[in-house]
Amino acid sequence: MHHKLWIAVNSCFIVFSMIYIWFFRPHDSSLVVTAQFLAQIAMLLFLININMYFIFLVIRKTSVRQVKIRLAKFSRSMMKWHISIAVTATTIIIGHAAINLYEIAPAVGYDNLKLVSGYLAIAILFVTLAAGYLRHKKSSGFRRKFHLTTAMVFFIVFLIHMFIPI
């Protein structure tokens, strides 16, 4: 039952963000629209990676053996893609940032709250990537928790950045 709720929450988040980005934040510039599209793709990829935590949480908390087995098999295959997804999403988000720094920043100022929150999100993203790299090289409880914490902080800062109007 909880997995259906989690799927519904994720689906609602994706739909809501698409509606917000495309209908409430439209732009005339095709370059800015490209940046919005890149942000949407990166958001989906980051969401896939962040959801891995919740899959592992369900594996730990559920008492239903079949659910544990199915999710363990699924997570084993997904973790093979975790790093590739993160690097791809980061590359895409750098493209998003570059376009916005070129197109929007000169018009609104480099110290605009939307851009400052984007700088913060990217900084935390790089800390998350570094923590993930360290965890990949040598896993420990501290490195796992640090990577998880930075990922969740990144997600919160990213959400704030997404909904700050220009």
Side-chain angles (χ1 to χ4, degrees):
M1 179 62 185
H2 290 93
H3 66 284
K4 290 180 182 175
L5 175 64
W6 189 247
I7 290 169
V9 167
N10 275 282
S11 300
C12 288
F13 174 73
I14 291 167
V15 169
F16 179 73
S17 68
M18 290 175 81
I19 290 170
Y20 178 76
I21 289 170
W22 298 111
F23 295 107
F24 292 100
R25 306 298 309 155
H27 288 277
D28 295 333
S29 166
S30 61
L31 208 50
V32 175
V33 170
T34 301
Q36 286 178 309
F37 181 69
L38 291 174
Q40 192 78 47
I41 293 169
M43 182 204 65
L44 289 171
L45 294 173
F46 285 132
L47 195 60
I48 289 168
N49 270 356
I50 287 172
N51 273 302
M52 289 307 297
Y53 166 74
F54 297 101
I55 290 170
F56 291 130
L57 184 66
V58 171
I59 291 170
R60 279 193 308 273
K61 299 290 184 183
T62 189
S63 60
V64 181
R65 182 169 158 62
Q66 284 303 95
V67 171
K68 283 185 187 239
I69 291 170
R70 266 188 285 147
L71 286 178
K73 287 179 182 177
F74 176 75
S75 65
R76 201 172 296 126
S77 65
M78 279 303 294
M79 283 309 287
K80 292 175 184 171
W81 294 98
H82 184 78
I83 294 171
S84 298
I85 290 171
V87 170
T88 302
T90 301
T91 304
I92 291 170
I93 214 66
I94 289 170
H96 162 79
I99 290 170
N100 284 326
L101 284 172
Y102 173 78
E103 189 76 12
I104 291 189
V108 299
Y110 291 90
D111 61 346
N112 180 282
L113 185 59
K114 179 81 164 187
L115 276 80
V116 170
S117 67
Y119 306 148
L120 179 61
I122 285 180
I124 295 170
L125 173 61
F126 281 114
V127 172
T128 303
L129 290 173
Y133 175 77
L134 291 174
R135 179 165 188 237
H136 179 70
K137 287 297 171 190
K138 182 181 179 206
S139 190
S140 70
F142 173 77
R143 289 181 179 191
R144 182 186 65 79
K145 287 178 186 170
F146 185 65
H147 181 56
L148 172 63
T149 301
T150 58
M152 293 304 163
V153 170
F154 164 71
F155 187 65
I156 291 167
V157 171
F158 146 73
L159 285 176
I160 292 168
H161 167 71
M162 187 169 115
F163 292 111
I164 292 176
I166 285 188

mmCIF file of all heavy atoms in Angstrom, residues 1-4 6-7 51-80:
data_model
loop_
_atom_site.group_PDB
_atom_site.id
_atom_site.type_symbol
_atom_site.label_atom_id
_atom_site.label_comp_id
_atom_site.label_asym_id
_atom_site.label_seq_id
_atom_site.Cartn_x
_atom_site.Cartn_y
_atom_site.Cartn_z
ATOM 1 N N MET A 1 0.819 -1.205 0.000
ATOM 2 C CA MET A 1 0.000 0.000 0.000
ATOM 3 C C MET A 1 0.860 1.265 0.000
ATOM 4 O O MET A 1 0.578 2.198 -0.715
ATOM 5 C CB MET A 1 -0.933 -0.042 1.225
ATOM 6 C CG MET A 1 -1.821 1.161 1.349
ATOM 7 S SD MET A 1 -2.900 1.281 -0.075
ATOM 8 C CE MET A 1 -3.672 2.810 0.262
ATOM 9 N N HIS A 2 1.925 1.260 0.807
ATOM 10 C CA HIS A 2 2.769 2.447 0.886
ATOM 11 C C HIS A 2 3.458 2.752 -0.434
ATOM 12 O O HIS A 2 3.672 3.913 -0.768
ATOM 13 C CB HIS A 2 3.814 2.281 1.996
ATOM 14 C CG HIS A 2 3.206 2.316 3.361
ATOM 15 N ND1 HIS A 2 2.818 1.175 4.011
ATOM 16 C CD2 HIS A 2 2.905 3.357 4.171
ATOM 17 C CE1 HIS A 2 2.316 1.510 5.174
ATOM 18 N NE2 HIS A 2 2.354 2.828 5.299
ATOM 19 N N HIS A 3 3.801 1.686 -1.174
ATOM 20 C CA HIS A 3 4.470 1.918 -2.452
ATOM 21 C C HIS A 3 3.540 2.604 -3.444
ATOM 22 O O HIS A 3 3.978 3.419 -4.238
ATOM 23 C CB HIS A 3 5.035 0.614 -3.025
ATOM 24 C CG HIS A 3 4.000 -0.388 -3.408
ATOM 25 N ND1 HIS A 3 3.316 -1.148 -2.482
ATOM 26 C CD2 HIS A 3 3.523 -0.740 -4.616
ATOM 27 C CE1 HIS A 3 2.458 -1.929 -3.126
ATOM 28 N NE2 HIS A 3 2.570 -1.700 -4.415
ATOM 29 N N LYS A 4 2.247 2.313 -3.366
ATOM 30 C CA LYS A 4 1.294 2.987 -4.256
ATOM 31 C C LYS A 4 1.189 4.474 -3.911
ATOM 32 O O LYS A 4 1.112 5.316 -4.801
ATOM 33 C CB LYS A 4 -0.071 2.320 -4.164
ATOM 34 C CG LYS A 4 -0.095 0.941 -4.788
ATOM 35 C CD LYS A 4 -1.451 0.300 -4.676
ATOM 36 C CE LYS A 4 -1.404 -1.103 -5.267
ATOM 37 N NZ LYS A 4 -2.658 -1.814 -5.087
ATOM 38 N N TRP A 6 3.609 6.215 -2.523
ATOM 39 C CA TRP A 6 4.860 6.838 -2.949
ATOM 40 C C TRP A 6 4.874 7.072 -4.462
ATOM 41 O O TRP A 6 5.316 8.124 -4.929
ATOM 42 C CB TRP A 6 6.061 5.986 -2.517
ATOM 43 C CG TRP A 6 7.321 6.728 -2.769
ATOM 44 C CD1 TRP A 6 8.280 6.420 -3.667
ATOM 45 C CD2 TRP A 6 7.728 7.945 -2.158
ATOM 46 N NE1 TRP A 6 9.269 7.367 -3.653
ATOM 47 C CE2 TRP A 6 8.951 8.322 -2.724
ATOM 48 C CE3 TRP A 6 7.171 8.774 -1.181
ATOM 49 C CZ2 TRP A 6 9.627 9.467 -2.348
ATOM 50 C CZ3 TRP A 6 7.864 9.923 -0.801
ATOM 51 C CH2 TRP A 6 9.071 10.243 -1.386
ATOM 52 N N ILE A 7 4.375 6.135 -5.223
ATOM 53 C CA ILE A 7 4.280 6.308 -6.677
ATOM 54 C C ILE A 7 3.348 7.469 -7.005
ATOM 55 O O ILE A 7 3.642 8.292 -7.878
ATOM 56 C CB ILE A 7 3.819 5.002 -7.360
ATOM 57 C CG1 ILE A 7 4.932 3.950 -7.282
ATOM 58 C CG2 ILE A 7 3.429 5.247 -8.820
ATOM 59 C CD1 ILE A 7 4.494 2.555 -7.693
ATOM 60 N N ASN A 51 14.917 8.523 -5.124
ATOM 61 C CA ASN A 51 13.953 7.482 -4.756
ATOM 62 C C ASN A 51 14.621 6.173 -4.356
ATOM 63 O O ASN A 51 13.988 5.333 -3.717
ATOM 64 C CB ASN A 51 12.958 7.238 -5.890
ATOM 65 C CG ASN A 51 11.790 8.172 -5.796
ATOM 66 O OD1 ASN A 51 11.090 8.203 -4.798
ATOM 67 N ND2 ASN A 51 11.591 8.950 -6.840
ATOM 68 N N MET A 52 15.882 6.000 -4.696
ATOM 69 C CA MET A 52 16.585 4.787 -4.268
ATOM 70 C C MET A 52 16.596 4.692 -2.743
ATOM 71 O O MET A 52 16.476 3.600 -2.186
ATOM 72 C CB MET A 52 18.016 4.764 -4.811
ATOM 73 C CG MET A 52 18.108 4.528 -6.304
ATOM 74 S SD MET A 52 17.226 3.069 -6.881
ATOM 75 C CE MET A 52 18.106 1.788 -6.027
ATOM 76 N N TYR A 53 16.711 5.835 -2.066
ATOM 77 C CA TYR A 53 16.687 5.814 -0.607
ATOM 78 C C TYR A 53 15.372 5.221 -0.106
ATOM 79 O O TYR A 53 15.358 4.398 0.811
ATOM 80 C CB TYR A 53 16.874 7.223 -0.028
ATOM 81 C CG TYR A 53 16.515 7.278 1.436
ATOM 82 C CD1 TYR A 53 17.363 6.717 2.391
ATOM 83 C CD2 TYR A 53 15.330 7.846 1.863
ATOM 84 C CE1 TYR A 53 17.035 6.730 3.732
ATOM 85 C CE2 TYR A 53 14.986 7.867 3.202
ATOM 86 C CZ TYR A 53 15.850 7.309 4.136
ATOM 87 O OH TYR A 53 15.510 7.315 5.458
ATOM 88 N N PHE A 54 14.280 5.618 -0.698
ATOM 89 C CA PHE A 54 12.974 5.154 -0.236
ATOM 90 C C PHE A 54 12.745 3.679 -0.562
ATOM 91 O O PHE A 54 12.074 2.977 0.185
ATOM 92 C CB PHE A 54 11.875 6.051 -0.796
ATOM 93 C CG PHE A 54 12.006 7.457 -0.285
ATOM 94 C CD1 PHE A 54 12.575 8.450 -1.067
ATOM 95 C CD2 PHE A 54 11.618 7.773 1.002
ATOM 96 C CE1 PHE A 54 12.732 9.728 -0.582
ATOM 97 C CE2 PHE A 54 11.775 9.053 1.503
ATOM 98 C CZ PHE A 54 12.333 10.038 0.702
ATOM 99 N N ILE A 55 13.341 3.229 -1.649
ATOM 100 C CA ILE A 55 13.278 1.797 -1.957
ATOM 101 C C ILE A 55 14.013 1.002 -0.883
ATOM 102 O O ILE A 55 13.496 0.006 -0.375
ATOM 103 C CB ILE A 55 13.848 1.511 -3.363
ATOM 104 C CG1 ILE A 55 12.900 2.073 -4.430
ATOM 105 C CG2 ILE A 55 14.081 0.017 -3.570
ATOM 106 C CD1 ILE A 55 13.466 2.074 -5.821
ATOM 107 N N PHE A 56 15.204 1.474 -0.507
ATOM 108 C CA PHE A 56 15.953 0.786 0.547
ATOM 109 C C PHE A 56 15.229 0.868 1.891
ATOM 110 O O PHE A 56 15.267 -0.075 2.681
ATOM 111 C CB PHE A 56 17.368 1.349 0.671
ATOM 112 C CG PHE A 56 18.237 1.023 -0.504
ATOM 113 C CD1 PHE A 56 18.962 2.002 -1.144
ATOM 114 C CD2 PHE A 56 18.324 -0.277 -0.997
ATOM 115 C CE1 PHE A 56 19.765 1.705 -2.230
ATOM 116 C CE2 PHE A 56 19.120 -0.591 -2.077
ATOM 117 C CZ PHE A 56 19.848 0.403 -2.700
ATOM 118 N N LEU A 57 14.553 1.981 2.132
ATOM 119 C CA LEU A 57 13.786 2.125 3.365
ATOM 120 C C LEU A 57 12.656 1.098 3.430
ATOM 121 O O LEU A 57 12.444 0.456 4.465
ATOM 122 C CB LEU A 57 13.215 3.548 3.484
ATOM 123 C CG LEU A 57 12.468 3.886 4.752
ATOM 124 C CD1 LEU A 57 13.422 3.871 5.940
ATOM 125 C CD2 LEU A 57 11.806 5.247 4.615
ATOM 126 N N VAL A 58 11.957 0.910 2.327
ATOM 127 C CA VAL A 58 10.880 -0.079 2.281
ATOM 128 C C VAL A 58 11.444 -1.476 2.481
ATOM 129 O O VAL A 58 10.864 -2.288 3.206
ATOM 130 C CB VAL A 58 10.076 0.020 0.960
ATOM 131 C CG1 VAL A 58 9.100 -1.134 0.813
ATOM 132 C CG2 VAL A 58 9.337 1.341 0.889
ATOM 133 N N ILE A 59 12.600 -1.758 1.869
ATOM 134 C CA ILE A 59 13.224 -3.072 2.041
ATOM 135 C C ILE A 59 13.507 -3.321 3.516
ATOM 136 O O ILE A 59 13.246 -4.413 4.034
ATOM 137 C CB ILE A 59 14.519 -3.194 1.202
ATOM 138 C CG1 ILE A 59 14.190 -3.226 -0.292
ATOM 139 C CG2 ILE A 59 15.303 -4.441 1.590
ATOM 140 C CD1 ILE A 59 15.394 -3.105 -1.202
ATOM 141 N N ARG A 60 14.027 -2.313 4.205
ATOM 142 C CA ARG A 60 14.347 -2.477 5.631
ATOM 143 C C ARG A 60 13.103 -2.585 6.504
ATOM 144 O O ARG A 60 13.088 -3.324 7.476
ATOM 145 C CB ARG A 60 15.184 -1.287 6.127
ATOM 146 C CG ARG A 60 16.634 -1.401 5.800
ATOM 147 C CD ARG A 60 17.480 -0.400 6.565
ATOM 148 N NE ARG A 60 17.035 0.979 6.460
ATOM 149 C CZ ARG A 60 17.377 1.827 5.496
ATOM 150 N NH1 ARG A 60 18.161 1.418 4.532
ATOM 151 N NH2 ARG A 60 16.942 3.061 5.494
ATOM 152 N N LYS A 61 12.043 -1.845 6.179
ATOM 153 C CA LYS A 61 10.893 -1.731 7.076
ATOM 154 C C LYS A 61 9.779 -2.744 6.836
ATOM 155 O O LYS A 61 9.016 -3.035 7.740
ATOM 156 C CB LYS A 61 10.288 -0.317 6.989
ATOM 157 C CG LYS A 61 11.233 0.784 7.397
ATOM 158 C CD LYS A 61 11.501 0.750 8.868
ATOM 159 C CE LYS A 61 12.370 1.937 9.265
ATOM 160 N NZ LYS A 61 12.713 1.915 10.661
ATOM 161 N N THR A 62 9.670 -3.255 5.623
ATOM 162 C CA THR A 62 8.542 -4.149 5.335
ATOM 163 C C THR A 62 8.787 -5.537 5.922
ATOM 164 O O THR A 62 9.916 -5.996 6.035
ATOM 165 C CB THR A 62 8.267 -4.247 3.823
ATOM 166 O OG1 THR A 62 7.045 -4.956 3.642
ATOM 167 C CG2 THR A 62 9.371 -4.974 3.089
ATOM 168 N N SER A 63 7.686 -6.158 6.265
ATOM 169 C CA SER A 63 7.779 -7.530 6.776
ATOM 170 C C SER A 63 7.321 -8.541 5.725
ATOM 171 O O SER A 63 7.368 -9.743 5.959
ATOM 172 C CB SER A 63 6.933 -7.668 8.045
ATOM 173 O OG SER A 63 5.590 -7.360 7.748
ATOM 174 N N VAL A 64 6.915 -8.054 4.574
ATOM 175 C CA VAL A 64 6.437 -8.923 3.495
ATOM 176 C C VAL A 64 7.637 -9.384 2.671
ATOM 177 O O VAL A 64 8.284 -8.595 1.971
ATOM 178 C CB VAL A 64 5.408 -8.195 2.604
ATOM 179 C CG1 VAL A 64 4.889 -9.109 1.508
ATOM 180 C CG2 VAL A 64 4.262 -7.654 3.444
ATOM 181 N N ARG A 65 7.915 -10.661 2.751
ATOM 182 C CA ARG A 65 9.104 -11.231 2.113
ATOM 183 C C ARG A 65 9.125 -11.011 0.604
ATOM 184 O O ARG A 65 10.173 -10.680 0.038
ATOM 185 C CB ARG A 65 9.171 -12.732 2.443
ATOM 186 C CG ARG A 65 10.369 -13.439 1.884
ATOM 187 C CD ARG A 65 10.514 -14.835 2.471
ATOM 188 N NE ARG A 65 11.294 -15.754 1.692
ATOM 189 C CZ ARG A 65 12.567 -15.630 1.380
ATOM 190 N NH1 ARG A 65 13.234 -14.563 1.756
ATOM 191 N NH2 ARG A 65 13.192 -16.543 0.683
ATOM 192 N N GLN A 66 8.002 -11.196 -0.069
ATOM 193 C CA GLN A 66 7.958 -11.034 -1.528
ATOM 194 C C GLN A 66 8.287 -9.595 -1.937
ATOM 195 O O GLN A 66 8.952 -9.381 -2.947
ATOM 196 C CB GLN A 66 6.582 -11.439 -2.065
ATOM 197 C CG GLN A 66 6.357 -12.937 -2.123
ATOM 198 C CD GLN A 66 7.418 -13.624 -2.972
ATOM 199 O OE1 GLN A 66 8.417 -14.122 -2.470
ATOM 200 N NE2 GLN A 66 7.200 -13.641 -4.272
ATOM 201 N N VAL A 67 7.821 -8.636 -1.151
ATOM 202 C CA VAL A 67 8.118 -7.233 -1.445
ATOM 203 C C VAL A 67 9.616 -6.990 -1.292
ATOM 204 O O VAL A 67 10.235 -6.331 -2.136
ATOM 205 C CB VAL A 67 7.303 -6.297 -0.521
ATOM 206 C CG1 VAL A 67 7.766 -4.854 -0.656
ATOM 207 C CG2 VAL A 67 5.818 -6.403 -0.841
ATOM 208 N N LYS A 68 10.201 -7.525 -0.227
ATOM 209 C CA LYS A 68 11.645 -7.376 -0.016
ATOM 210 C C LYS A 68 12.435 -7.960 -1.186
ATOM 211 O O LYS A 68 13.376 -7.342 -1.682
ATOM 212 C CB LYS A 68 12.074 -8.079 1.279
ATOM 213 C CG LYS A 68 11.756 -7.335 2.523
ATOM 214 C CD LYS A 68 12.332 -8.074 3.717
ATOM 215 C CE LYS A 68 11.882 -7.417 4.993
ATOM 216 N NZ LYS A 68 12.973 -6.961 5.815
ATOM 217 N N ILE A 69 12.046 -9.151 -1.621
ATOM 218 C CA ILE A 69 12.762 -9.821 -2.707
ATOM 219 C C ILE A 69 12.646 -9.024 -4.005
ATOM 220 O O ILE A 69 13.644 -8.769 -4.690
ATOM 221 C CB ILE A 69 12.246 -11.271 -2.890
ATOM 222 C CG1 ILE A 69 12.646 -12.124 -1.689
ATOM 223 C CG2 ILE A 69 12.762 -11.875 -4.186
ATOM 224 C CD1 ILE A 69 11.990 -13.490 -1.642
ATOM 225 N N ARG A 70 11.428 -8.604 -4.349
ATOM 226 C CA ARG A 70 11.222 -7.837 -5.581
ATOM 227 C C ARG A 70 11.990 -6.519 -5.562
ATOM 228 O O ARG A 70 12.650 -6.165 -6.538
ATOM 229 C CB ARG A 70 9.734 -7.567 -5.816
ATOM 230 C CG ARG A 70 9.094 -8.607 -6.709
ATOM 231 C CD ARG A 70 7.703 -8.231 -7.097
ATOM 232 N NE ARG A 70 6.856 -8.456 -5.912
ATOM 233 C CZ ARG A 70 5.806 -7.742 -5.590
ATOM 234 N NH1 ARG A 70 5.424 -6.766 -6.361
ATOM 235 N NH2 ARG A 70 5.109 -7.989 -4.514
ATOM 236 N N LEU A 71 11.902 -5.811 -4.444
ATOM 237 C CA LEU A 71 12.598 -4.532 -4.361
ATOM 238 C C LEU A 71 14.111 -4.704 -4.314
ATOM 239 O O LEU A 71 14.849 -3.878 -4.857
ATOM 240 C CB LEU A 71 12.113 -3.740 -3.147
ATOM 241 C CG LEU A 71 10.722 -3.130 -3.279
ATOM 242 C CD1 LEU A 71 10.321 -2.423 -2.001
ATOM 243 C CD2 LEU A 71 10.647 -2.178 -4.461
ATOM 244 N N ALA A 72 14.586 -5.759 -3.677
ATOM 245 C CA ALA A 72 16.032 -6.011 -3.645
ATOM 246 C C ALA A 72 16.561 -6.285 -5.055
ATOM 247 O O ALA A 72 17.621 -5.765 -5.442
ATOM 248 C CB ALA A 72 16.342 -7.177 -2.718
ATOM 249 N N LYS A 73 15.832 -7.077 -5.828
ATOM 250 C CA LYS A 73 16.247 -7.341 -7.209
ATOM 251 C C LYS A 73 16.213 -6.056 -8.037
ATOM 252 O O LYS A 73 17.132 -5.779 -8.816
ATOM 253 C CB LYS A 73 15.340 -8.409 -7.843
ATOM 254 C CG LYS A 73 15.604 -9.800 -7.326
ATOM 255 C CD LYS A 73 14.665 -10.794 -7.972
ATOM 256 C CE LYS A 73 14.900 -12.205 -7.416
ATOM 257 N NZ LYS A 73 13.961 -13.172 -7.983
ATOM 258 N N PHE A 74 15.141 -5.290 -7.866
ATOM 259 C CA PHE A 74 15.004 -4.033 -8.593
ATOM 260 C C PHE A 74 16.128 -3.067 -8.214
ATOM 261 O O PHE A 74 16.763 -2.463 -9.091
ATOM 262 C CB PHE A 74 13.639 -3.399 -8.310
ATOM 263 C CG PHE A 74 13.462 -2.056 -8.938
ATOM 264 C CD1 PHE A 74 13.235 -1.939 -10.292
ATOM 265 C CD2 PHE A 74 13.522 -0.900 -8.164
ATOM 266 C CE1 PHE A 74 13.079 -0.701 -10.877
ATOM 267 C CE2 PHE A 74 13.366 0.347 -8.739
ATOM 268 C CZ PHE A 74 13.145 0.450 -10.093
ATOM 269 N N SER A 75 16.383 -2.919 -6.918
ATOM 270 C CA SER A 75 17.406 -1.972 -6.473
ATOM 271 C C SER A 75 18.805 -2.413 -6.915
ATOM 272 O O SER A 75 19.649 -1.573 -7.232
ATOM 273 C CB SER A 75 17.359 -1.788 -4.956
ATOM 274 O OG SER A 75 17.697 -2.978 -4.306
ATOM 275 N N ARG A 76 19.050 -3.698 -6.949
ATOM 276 C CA ARG A 76 20.346 -4.199 -7.410
ATOM 277 C C ARG A 76 20.590 -3.788 -8.863
ATOM 278 O O ARG A 76 21.688 -3.359 -9.222
ATOM 279 C CB ARG A 76 20.402 -5.723 -7.271
ATOM 280 C CG ARG A 76 21.801 -6.272 -7.234
ATOM 281 C CD ARG A 76 21.845 -7.756 -6.912
ATOM 282 N NE ARG A 76 21.347 -8.027 -5.565
ATOM 283 C CZ ARG A 76 20.367 -8.891 -5.278
ATOM 284 N NH1 ARG A 76 19.794 -9.582 -6.248
ATOM 285 N NH2 ARG A 76 19.980 -9.080 -4.044
ATOM 286 N N SER A 77 19.572 -3.899 -9.689
ATOM 287 C CA SER A 77 19.747 -3.489 -11.088
ATOM 288 C C SER A 77 19.809 -1.968 -11.222
ATOM 289 O O SER A 77 20.573 -1.444 -12.031
ATOM 290 C CB SER A 77 18.640 -4.073 -11.954
ATOM 291 O OG SER A 77 17.396 -3.545 -11.588
ATOM 292 N N MET A 78 19.027 -1.254 -10.420
ATOM 293 C CA MET A 78 19.033 0.213 -10.497
ATOM 294 C C MET A 78 20.347 0.819 -10.005
ATOM 295 O O MET A 78 20.808 1.829 -10.541
ATOM 296 C CB MET A 78 17.877 0.803 -9.682
ATOM 297 C CG MET A 78 16.549 0.789 -10.393
ATOM 298 S SD MET A 78 16.562 1.645 -11.981
ATOM 299 C CE MET A 78 16.845 3.319 -11.464
ATOM 300 N N MET A 79 20.948 0.220 -8.992
ATOM 301 C CA MET A 79 22.188 0.772 -8.451
ATOM 302 C C MET A 79 23.327 0.708 -9.462
ATOM 303 O O MET A 79 24.270 1.488 -9.379
ATOM 304 C CB MET A 79 22.583 0.068 -7.144
ATOM 305 C CG MET A 79 21.758 0.519 -5.958
ATOM 306 S SD MET A 79 21.672 2.317 -5.750
ATOM 307 C CE MET A 79 23.310 2.662 -5.167
ATOM 308 N N LYS A 80 23.221 -0.188 -10.431
ATOM 309 C CA LYS A 80 24.228 -0.232 -11.493
ATOM 310 C C LYS A 80 24.193 1.060 -12.321
ATOM 311 O O LYS A 80 25.188 1.426 -12.933
ATOM 312 C CB LYS A 80 23.996 -1.442 -12.394
ATOM 313 C CG LYS A 80 24.257 -2.762 -11.702
ATOM 314 C CD LYS A 80 23.908 -3.932 -12.595
ATOM 315 C CE LYS A 80 24.079 -5.241 -11.833
ATOM 316 N NZ LYS A 80 23.553 -6.382 -12.562
#
